[in-house]
Amino acid sequence: MRTIISILYLIGMWVYTFGVKVASLFNEKARQLTKGRKETWEKLSQYDNSEKSIWIHAASLGEFEQGRPIIEAIKAKYPNKKIVLTFYSPSGYEVRKNYNLADLICYLPADGPKNACHFIKAINPEMVFFVKYEFWHFYLEALKKRDIPVYGVSMIFRKQQAFFKWYGGWFRDMLQVFKHLYIQDLNSADLLDTIRVKNYTVAGDTRFDRVRKIAEASADVDLAARFVKGAKTVMVAGSSWEPDENIYLPYFNNQANDKGNDLKLIIATHEVGKERVEKLQKQISVPSFFYTNPPSDPENYKVMIVNTIGLLSAIYKYGNVAYIGGGFGVGIHNTLEAATYGMPVLFGPNHKRFKEAIDLIECGGGYCVTCEADFVKIFETFRNDEEKLKEANEASDKYVKGMCGATDCIMRDLF
């Protein structure tokens, strides 16, 4: 039965790969994936595999951020170790294809016995890390045959996954290939226990180590410091979209008659194109300015629009309440960048796929807003009740600190 499933899986991979090639005729991401996989074999033909490598595979950009702390820790301890970094998605590869700590960066060829054999032989790995959700049958089988240890990093399991269904034997076999699974939470541990998988450690999520490190190393942003000077309440709206602005902007616009400067707003839009930010500014009825064109007296303005990229993680530290965009559309963006500074985090209803958002709500550091009235009620509480704000600050800070340490755990075990 398992052989039949393997054959059906392989046929499915062939069909999918063919479909991607067809889609590449009119879809940019499919075109990037097709071209990138072809380039992978060219890169491998020039790669020097005379020394062993450590292979880290991340599906996309989010998973890369979970694997990145492991790469950095390995390179810090063993600078001469060769790192091979692979991606499945163009949204990960195209952003990080020039990442300087990896010796080889490429797309992962489609899963199949021939591809797996050739790829593993070409990179010559001594150990392998698959991040979060990555389970590729033929790659795992090929690694098992060669007795190359495979580790899962920041893995998280849900009851809906095939591993925990009556028909999931073939999928459960893949879990047995992993030498060890470093999982995020106790719920995942309970699920693995139900299928008698014991090769795991509840280590947490390596992303927490990453955001904590970024926060500790973040440079001061002088303009932001000048802008918030003297303000009692500062909200930073990160990765903001128009539907988010419809929720919180009316409240700040209603402060037009307030001559004091105790309330400030920093908006970092998800898209920073000229047309987008200029349209936003027209919707703001209180004094505002662009980060790239500051006034001589920023402290006398009420809204700063950050119309450039790369500053958001550092700018969060100038707020005491954060609003994370995307919750009325594609899904919320990174809540951890804000929570690591110990502040309440607000976001829209499309957050249920994000474990950290659920966790923050449960511990009292996160708040879901579904409409303008929700936002006003929650924000007014923090603006007027210092004790409530302090409790939320402490909840966020305690949550992030409690989830840090996964990278150290893995490094202690394996190196």
Side-chain angles (χ1 to χ4, degrees), residues 268-288:
T269 55
H270 179 67
E271 297 175 343
V272 296
K274 183 179 179 182
E275 183 179 345
R276 163 77 169 103
V277 296
E278 287 182 349
K279 180 182 178 182
L280 170 61
Q281 191 176 41
K282 289 177 182 176
Q283 297 174 291
I284 300 171
S285 58
V286 294
S288 64

Side-chain angles (χ1 to χ4, degrees), residues 221 223-229 233-240 248-249 252 263-269 280 284 289 291 302-307 311-312 314-323:
V221 183
L223 179 58
R226 290 174 61 199
F227 169 66
V228 304
K229 186 177 180 181
T233 308
V234 179
M235 188 178 94
V236 179
S239 300
S240 180
Y248 65 77
L249 265 187
F252 287 89
L263 177 65
K264 297 288 182 82
L265 170 65
I266 300 174
I267 306 175
T269 55
L280 170 61
I284 300 171
F289 67 90
Y291 179 86
K302 294 199 172 184
V303 179
M304 179 173 75
I305 302 171
V306 182
N307 59 332
L311 289 175
L312 181 57
I315 277 181
Y316 275 125
K317 67 182 173 186
Y318 296 98
N320 45 22
V321 177
Y323 180 100

Side-chain angles (χ1 to χ4, degrees), residues 160-179:
Q160 296 76 17
Q161 290 172 299
F163 306 111
F164 311 106
K165 303 297 184 182
W166 63 267
Y167 54 80
W170 184 82
F171 298 93
R172 289 191 284 272
D173 286 346
M174 287 193 280
L175 294 181
Q176 299 296 339
V177 177
F178 286 84
K179 187 167 184 179

Side-chain angles (χ1 to χ4, degrees), residues 22 122 165 199 214 219 292 357 392:
V22 173
K165 303 297 184 182
N199 56 328
I214 290 172
T292 57

